[in-house]
Amino acid sequence: MSKTDVTRRGVLKTGAIAGAGVALPTIFTASSAAAYMNEPTGGTVTLGFNVPQTGPYADEGADELRAYELAVEHLNGGGDGGMMNTFSSKALQGNGILGKKVDFVTGDTQTKSDAARASAKSMIEKDGAIMITGGSSSGVAVAVQGLCQEAGVIFMAGLTHSNDTTGKDKKANGFRHFFNAYMSGAALAPVLKNLYGADRKAYHLTADYTWGWTQEESIVAATEALGWETVNTVKTPLAATDFSSYIAPVLNSGADVLVLNHYGGNMVNSLTNAVQFGLREKMVNGKNFEIVVPLYSRLMAKGAGENVKGIHGSTNWHWSLQDDASKAFVKSFGTKYGFPPSQAAHTVYCQTMLYADACQRAGTFNPCGVAEALEGFEFDGLGNGKTLYRADDHQCFKDVLVVRGKENPTSEFDLLEVVEVTPAAQVTYPPDHPMFAGGNLGTCNPGA
């Protein structure tokens, strides 16, 4: 499909809207005649794609935008239809959503919560976006999800792995397709025990925001339950680029495993520093020193290069999967862009399709009708096997992949290999699990 077939109203630079780091007041208004916020009245419906185009997670953001454009193309009847052809729900017809052509606007979250809220607010108020999606940071997701709840629009979260997003900070207007930190721990810990034994001492470096905190908590709990000892946990700034001063103390800590609760550019830099310090060649406590990256992505693996070989972690999806849906998505994405998609791309494509499908099944864009269609929705054919959007907390439950850096990659994209597909039952937890306590889903807000 040509550029003119996909309308793009321009990138919203948040600094010009609010100034970097300055939160806008969240006061929303809607026409008294409207049944809900930003009810479409013409022949188009506008979606808001809010992604990190700058900052430490910008690589993920760039791939998210590619996937969003592909999803819009498919929804509007262009291309080969991608996973619309494999999706178990057959509500979508390739004629937009409820007969309206899909339009979109974009914003730059800058991987900053205030900037993300400002750009989302602008898309809702100025551009009439009826749904906001995107992000590659849980801090951003929690902030924007709260704003969308106040505004009365649906938030389809992008990459957000913190337990809090569907835990203490869950909202009735928010939905998450991505897996979470608890799931990573539940999938990864048994594999680590089998590989490295139960008698291990772990040192954690952790990104100092909501995702890092819950990722650390989840991995600590899961590994300690299997016999590991946690030697130390150290928080690192999200803006850090050189982790040498954090790596040096590991050498004399008595730890024989370093867990890097880092993502994106942070993980690339911290892993590189760890290898430069010679950690991977060391013997400690009579064992080979090991490094673990609980949340992995192909884009991170590419950035870290040779350093990822043999290192284990978890991921939401990988382009090498051989189910029909994954192959269809890889084909569509590869045809359009010339390389395979990342888990970031897969996640946001799915979120766009799930939102559109929910509107179609509900017969309305009203966020409360959409939410009702998504709650308890069971589906297949989007590349993760059978999946449930649990009504209690709006968290998706599906299989989780354990992966490792490939020793002998055949291309710049063939960097990770799947070593285990952990069944959904193993990573499912009750809604009142202590790691997810303290929140209240509340009720849907239609915004008008």
Side-chain angles (χ1 to χ4, degrees):
M1 190 160 69
S2 71
K3 282 287 183 182
T4 56
D5 290 323
V6 178
T7 304
R8 194 174 192 174
R9 295 184 184 167
V11 177
L12 302 175
K13 293 299 183 183
T14 327
I17 299 167
V22 179
L24 291 177
T26 53
I27 301 170
F28 294 91
T29 59
S31 166
S32 58
Y36 50 90
M37 176 62 82
N38 291 340
E39 180 179 0
T41 55
T44 63
V45 58
T46 301
L47 310 182
F49 301 151
N50 204 24
V51 304
Q53 299 181 52
T54 56
Y57 296 169
D59 285 348
E60 277 73 20
D63 227 32
E64 287 178 340
L65 277 185
R66 295 182 189 106
Y68 281 132
E69 291 199 21
L70 182 63
V72 169
E73 181 177 311
H74 289 167
L75 288 171
N76 286 334
D80 61 8
M83 286 194 288
M84 280 175 54
N85 300 316
T86 59
F87 191 13
S88 58
S89 174
K90 301 304 178 186
L92 296 170
Q93 302 298 314
N95 62 342
I97 307 175
L98 295 175
K100 296 182 183 291
K101 183 178 179 180
V102 181
D103 191 4
F104 68 95
V105 290
T106 67
D108 182 5
T109 69
Q110 304 174 34
T111 320
K112 297 176 182 176
S113 297
D114 287 347
R117 283 176 65 95
S119 61
K121 184 174 188 291
S122 180
M123 286 189 279
I124 294 167
E125 288 200 330
K126 296 181 180 179
D127 299 294
I130 197 167
M131 182 271 276
I132 301 294
T133 178
S136 295
S137 157
S138 289
V140 162
V142 167
V144 175
Q145 179 169 259
L147 177 129
C148 289
Q149 181 69 38
E150 297 167 19
V153 301
I154 291 291
F155 176 62
M156 301 296 282
L159 264 65
T160 167
H161 194 241
S162 171
N163 293 338
D164 292 346
T165 308
T166 47
K168 73 178 183 65
D169 295 307
K170 61 182 174 284
K171 301 294 181 187
N173 283 43
F175 292 84
R176 171 163 61 180
H177 183 265
F178 204 61
F179 71 144
N180 59 43
Y182 174 92
M183 296 174 177
S184 282
L188 196 52
V191 175
L192 296 178
K193 181 183 179 182
N194 290 338
L195 286 169
Y196 307 137
D199 182 23
R200 282 285 184 166
K201 299 181 187 298
Y203 192 112
H204 289 250
L205 293 181
T206 300
D208 192 14
Y209 74 106
T210 178
W211 167 67
W213 306 332
T214 65
Q215 178 66 91
E216 176 191 289
E217 178 188 26
S218 299
I219 296 294
V220 165
T223 54
E224 287 186 351
L226 297 176
W228 286 29
E229 176 187 342
T230 304
V231 172
N232 202 2
T233 59
V234 177
K235 306 299 186 288
T236 63
L238 183 59
T241 56
D242 185 347
F243 292 86
S244 300
S245 62
Y246 297 99
I247 300 292
V250 179
L251 298 169
N252 299 313
S253 67
D256 47 48
V257 178
L258 173 61
V259 182
L260 295 176
N261 298 301
H262 290 154
Y263 193 73
N266 286 164
M267 172 270 183
V268 171
N269 292 326
S270 63
L271 177 59
T272 300
N273 289 156
V275 171
Q276 289 169 342
F277 271 78
L279 288 181
R280 298 199 71 181
E281 283 74 48
K282 289 192 174 296
M283 293 284 293
V284 180
N285 304 323
K287 306 175 182 71
N288 290 327
F289 193 97
E290 303 292 349
I291 300 174
V292 177
V293 178
L295 180 58
Y296 236 147
S297 80
R298 177 183 62 77
L299 298 174
M300 290 158 55
K302 182 179 179 181
E306 296 275 322
N307 298 330
V308 302
K309 291 185 175 182
I311 289 182
H312 287 75
S314 66
T315 193
N316 191 64
W317 177 85
H318 192 256
W319 68 269
S320 66
L321 292 174
Q322 291 301 299
D323 60 281
D324 289 344
S326 293
K327 289 194 292 185
F329 181 55
V330 170
K331 178 184 176 184
S332 291
F333 192 96
T335 298
K336 187 173 180 68
Y337 299 112
F339 49 86
S342 64
Q343 69 168 353
H346 174 262
T347 298
V348 301
Y349 180 96
C350 289
Q351 285 288 63
T352 308
M353 290 298 168
L354 286 165
Y355 171 78
D357 174 77
C359 293
Q360 203 76 26
R361 289 185 293 110
T364 182
F365 292 102
N366 186 315
C368 296
V370 174
E372 186 176 346
L374 285 168
E375 288 181 336
F377 181 45
E378 294 182 82
F379 57 92
D380 203 344
L382 289 184
N384 288 112
K386 293 182 179 179
T387 304
L388 166 69
Y389 243 135
R390 188 162 67 181
D392 302 83
D393 50 13
H394 297 183
Q395 173 64 54
C396 264
F397 290 90
K398 54 191 183 299
D399 297 347
V400 171
L401 307 181
V402 177
V403 295
R404 69 172 165 235
K406 209 165 186 179
E407 293 288 352
N408 297 298
T410 58
S411 74
E412 62 178 308
F413 308 108
D414 181 36
L415 304 176
L416 299 177
E417 57 186 339
V418 177
V419 297
E420 184 162 316
V421 179
T422 307
Q426 185 177 318
V427 301
T428 299
Y429 51 86
D432 61 351
H433 187 284
M435 287 187 187
F436 297 83
N440 180 14
L441 193 65
T443 58
C444 170
N445 174 23

